[in-house]
Amino acid sequence: MARKKQEKELQPNIKVRLDRRTVITVRDREKLEFWKSKYPALEVLEG
């Protein structure tokens, strides 16, 4: 018998551009604030 796959509950990801080349994905607002302290000019692309 085939079993159904369980769906994972994924957190929404936030795409962030740190500088003109570097784009990262962070999982939550707490991590976003961490990166904002290191890169004050960061830009949120999605999320």
Side-chain angles (χ1 to χ4, degrees):
M1 293 182 122
R3 293 186 186 187
K4 286 187 178 180
K5 290 185 180 180
Q6 291 181 352
E7 292 185 21
K8 294 181 182 178
E9 289 185 28
L10 300 176
Q11 294 178 341
N13 292 329
I14 305 165
K15 273 196 173 180
V16 176
R17 181 183 306 275
L18 299 179
D19 56 23
R20 65 186 186 95
R21 273 190 234 155
T22 310
V23 176
I24 64 169
T25 304
V26 294
R27 292 184 185 253
D28 57 16
R29 295 282 176 194
E30 184 179 312
K31 298 294 183 188
L32 181 62
E33 294 303 318
F34 167 78
W35 285 105
K36 184 102 173 147
S37 67
K38 292 187 175 275
Y39 293 88
L42 74 78
E43 169 183 351
V44 176
L45 301 176
E46 292 178 12

